[in-house]
Structure formats: structure tokens, C-alpha cells
Amino acid sequence: MGILKKVNVFRRSLMRSVTKNIGKASLQNDIVLADKAAIKRILICRPNGRLGNLLLITPLIQEVTAIFPNCKVDLFVKGTLAPIIFENYESIDKVIDLPKKPFKNLLKYLNVWISIKRQNYDMAINVDQNSSSGRLAVQFSNAKYKFYGDSNEETLFVKKDYAHIAKYPVYNFRHYLTKLGFPKSNKIIPPLDLKLSSAEITEGRKVLYNLIKNEKRTICIFTFATGEKCLTEEWWDNFYTQLTTEYTNYNIIEILPVENVSQIRFKAPAFYSKDIREIGSVIANTDLFIGADSGIMHLSSAVQTPTIGLFSVSNLKKYGPYDNCSIGIDVNLYTNKDYLKTINSILNNGKLNIYSNAI
């Protein structure tokens, strides 16, 4: 581990220990929100710039705007992806982005915090209770209602899917609202949603057709992932051979990562783009997505394509895809027959009742 990386690890550890108790001294039990219409501007804090982590907050944003339909939402994030991801979210007003390297962009870094302090917010929400910057932003804001993202044991033991990273922020926020006088909510958690427009989906259909030149149904694979999450070339070779043998009536295409690499050595028709919404629009026109835990896997979920997430080291309960017949599976436990059974169930529109058991 390099010196700079060691410094960053130490910095994050130090910040978490310093900020973990921010907001816990004041639980605001004496504050009741009598009029939802009074909430006109909300700050949602998720200072992370990764594709997957930003897509995973879309259920919370949908929840917030459903409860407060007349509010405007500012997002406190990191990097430059958020404006692209939330392009079609009418409730999103401003994206406040921390620079990825604050020490090299110190002036911008300071201006971000100043802008949060200057804006009048009615409510501030931290998505991840372990985010030091998120907790600080909520504390630093002048919002009357402040939620720091803390979990509660009651929901933890009641909800079987509480561990999921897209769901527990919603459950935690619902619990917080009960402290403000709101009734308990048992609504189904919203899915991830990129909110593609009809024009984008139509364009994605054209791109896909130009790639495959036929009207057959399409299975889409993504063979890349970061670090240990990336399955070997040998694994993908065997899996791809199985797919091409069993599903001769389907097109099988590969979505390439920004690194432009392929674990099957470009054997399948491949699509490459750096445009997240364009990639999403192509995946949206396929019948099934298969890929390891990655931002593109979450992108597939966010365009409502049935998704099979291949998990080898990641926490399946925390990151597995859900909704639209989607499922996360442990590749260490699956046989060839298991893969075929799962794929056939999805392609035949048989609603899989195994996600709740998987996560």
C-alpha cells in the first residue's frame, strides 16, 4: 500500500471516529412536523461519486419526493456523474459536488461547505450513517429537521431485506418520520430508477438493432468487475460457451467497461460507450442482463431489465439486484444446471420467488 493510500485510510478512519456520534445527542423527539407542505427544500447527502452508489440512492429520492411532492431536492455528492444520473428527476434542483481530490481543489472544497451553510433547507438527510462527510453536512446545514441516517434495531429485526444498501436508508428514514408524527409505512421499497425517457429507449433500440441486425431476443453480459469481484477468463469462457450452446435462439451481446476489456476476449458482439445513459438505454432493450457486482449491474437494475448478479466475494444481502425477476447468486454454490434453471425462469417470465431467500 502506497504512502498516499495509507494516509487516506488513516484519514477516513479518523474522520469516522470523530463524526460517528454527530447528531446522536439530539434525537429531535420533541419536534413534530404538522404540515408536510412546510418542507419545500431538502438536502440529501451521499458524498460518493461511484456509479453504483449513486444509483442506489434513487429509491430514497423517490420515497422522499413521494412524501413531499412539492419539495425541491439538492444532492450533496462527489464527482461529476450525478447530473447525468438524475437528469430526468424533476425534483432535483441542484447537485453540490465535492471534488474527488479536495487537497488539489481546496477553494472548490471550501465553497461547497459554504454553499450548504448559506442555503435555507427545511430538512437535511444523510444516506449512509458511516459517511463522515454526510453527517457533517447535515450538522453544518441550517435545516430544522435533521436526519443523520442512523439505523434502528426495531426495523433491523422486522424487515428481512433491511441489509440491502438501497433499502435500509428508506427504512431508516421512515422510522425517523415516525418521530416527527408520521404514521408507519409498509409500502414496497421503490426500485432503482435511471428514469430513461421514451426517446432514449427508442434510440437504444436502434443502437441494439445496428449491433445485432435481427429481431431475436437478446441476453446481455458484462464480464468485467473491479478487483476480486472480477471472475476469471476461464470462468467466463465456460459460462459463455454454455450460453451460446443453450440459447441459440437468442442474441448474446457484451457490454464493455470503460477500460474496453473483455473476459471472453471479444467473442460476442460488443457495445462500447462512455455515456451512462446510452449504455442504460441499450441494456433496457435486452431481455436479461448477467454480470458481476458492479456499477453496470446496478445500471441494469435501474433501467428495469431482469438482472442476474454474479457474486463471488461481495455481500449478496447488501448489494444484490432486486425487482423485475432479478436475483443475486453466489457463483461458489451454483452448478451449470442451476444457472440454466434461473435463466429459463426469468426468460419465461416466471416470477422468481427466491430473491428474499438469497438476500
Side-chain angles (χ1 to χ4, degrees), residues 146-262:
K146 297 183 178 183
F147 174 55
Y148 293 88
D150 294 306
S151 59
N152 65 92
E153 291 187 0
E154 178 184 342
T155 309
L156 174 62
F157 292 111
V158 171
K159 300 296 183 180
K160 293 182 179 180
D161 57 353
Y162 178 83
H164 198 281
I165 192 172
K167 296 187 176 186
Y168 66 70
V170 178
Y171 286 132
N172 292 340
F173 182 62
R174 287 177 179 177
H175 180 75
Y176 167 72
L177 289 179
T178 64
K179 304 300 182 182
L180 301 182
F182 282 62
K184 288 186 177 180
S185 173
N186 289 310
K187 291 182 178 179
I188 296 174
I189 302 291
L192 277 62
D193 196 352
L194 186 64
K195 290 190 179 292
L196 288 174
S197 67
S198 57
E200 288 176 312
I201 294 174
T202 298
E203 186 60 31
R205 189 176 302 121
K206 293 178 182 178
V207 172
L208 180 60
Y209 182 80
N210 287 334
L211 179 65
I212 56 181
K213 303 294 186 183
N214 64 61
E215 299 291 344
K216 292 194 298 185
R217 297 171 71 186
T218 300
I219 297 172
C220 172
I221 61 175
F222 182 74
T223 66
F224 186 74
T226 56
E228 294 181 346
K229 294 187 294 184
C230 190
L231 299 172
T232 65
E233 287 190 359
E234 181 182 5
W235 189 95
W236 272 110
D237 266 336
N238 292 333
F239 186 72
Y240 179 68
T241 299
Q242 184 181 16
L243 285 179
T244 54
T245 300
E246 296 291 336
Y247 299 100
T248 56
N249 292 327
Y250 286 80
N251 299 302
I252 299 174
I253 69 165
E254 181 179 11
I255 299 293
L256 297 174
V258 68
E259 293 84 355
N260 198 21
V261 295
S262 168

Side-chain angles (χ1 to χ4, degrees), residues 29-201:
N29 289 331
D30 57 334
I31 299 179
V32 175
L33 177 55
D35 182 12
K36 291 196 297 184
I39 305 298
K40 298 179 179 179
R41 184 169 288 271
I42 296 176
L43 176 67
I44 296 180
C45 305
R46 185 61 167 112
N48 188 291
R50 297 180 69 88
L51 172 62
N53 285 328
L54 291 174
L55 289 168
L56 286 162
I57 68 172
T58 57
L60 177 63
I61 293 174
Q62 294 172 74
E63 178 83 7
V64 168
T65 54
I67 296 170
F68 305 107
N70 297 318
C71 75
K72 288 295 182 182
V73 175
D74 288 356
L75 293 180
F76 172 49
V77 295
K78 185 178 286 187
T80 58
L81 270 180
I84 299 169
I85 292 172
F86 299 102
E87 179 179 310
N88 291 336
Y89 275 74
E90 295 181 359
S91 61
I92 303 297
D93 188 32
K94 292 191 299 185
V95 174
I96 306 166
D97 61 292
L98 275 177
K100 290 184 177 180
K101 298 180 179 179
F103 296 114
K104 291 186 177 181
N105 299 275
L106 190 57
L107 183 59
K108 181 180 179 181
Y109 182 81
L110 294 174
N111 283 335
V112 165
W113 292 99
I114 292 171
S115 68
I116 289 175
K117 189 66 175 179
R118 284 180 175 175
Q119 179 65 56
N120 292 320
Y121 291 109
D122 300 300
M123 181 177 287
I125 302 167
N126 177 39
V127 177
D128 182 359
Q129 65 177 340
N130 295 315
S131 169
S132 302
S133 297
R135 298 187 78 93
L136 284 171
V138 171
Q139 177 72 10
F140 198 58
S141 75
N142 58 13
K144 180 178 181 180
Y145 303 98
K146 297 183 178 183
F147 174 55
Y148 293 88
D150 294 306
S151 59
N152 65 92
E153 291 187 0
E154 178 184 342
T155 309
L156 174 62
F157 292 111
V158 171
K159 300 296 183 180
K160 293 182 179 180
D161 57 353
Y162 178 83
H164 198 281
I165 192 172
K167 296 187 176 186
Y168 66 70
V170 178
Y171 286 132
N172 292 340
F173 182 62
R174 287 177 179 177
H175 180 75
Y176 167 72
L177 289 179
T178 64
K179 304 300 182 182
L180 301 182
F182 282 62
K184 288 186 177 180
S185 173
N186 289 310
K187 291 182 178 179
I188 296 174
I189 302 291
L192 277 62
D193 196 352
L194 186 64
K195 290 190 179 292
L196 288 174
S197 67
S198 57
E200 288 176 312
I201 294 174

Side-chain angles (χ1 to χ4, degrees), residues 236-298:
W236 272 110
D237 266 336
N238 292 333
F239 186 72
Y240 179 68
T241 299
Q242 184 181 16
L243 285 179
T244 54
T245 300
E246 296 291 336
Y247 299 100
T248 56
N249 292 327
Y250 286 80
N251 299 302
I252 299 174
I253 69 165
E254 181 179 11
I255 299 293
L256 297 174
V258 68
E259 293 84 355
N260 198 21
V261 295
S262 168
Q263 294 293 88
I264 58 170
R265 297 178 297 283
F266 303 96
K267 292 178 182 178
F271 174 72
Y272 179 83
S273 174
K274 294 182 179 180
D275 185 331
I276 292 301
R277 300 192 71 86
E278 184 182 29
I279 297 171
S281 71
V282 172
I283 296 174
N285 284 281
T286 64
D287 294 271
L288 175 64
F289 173 95
I290 306 173
D293 175 28
S294 65
I296 299 297
M297 181 197 76
H298 294 303

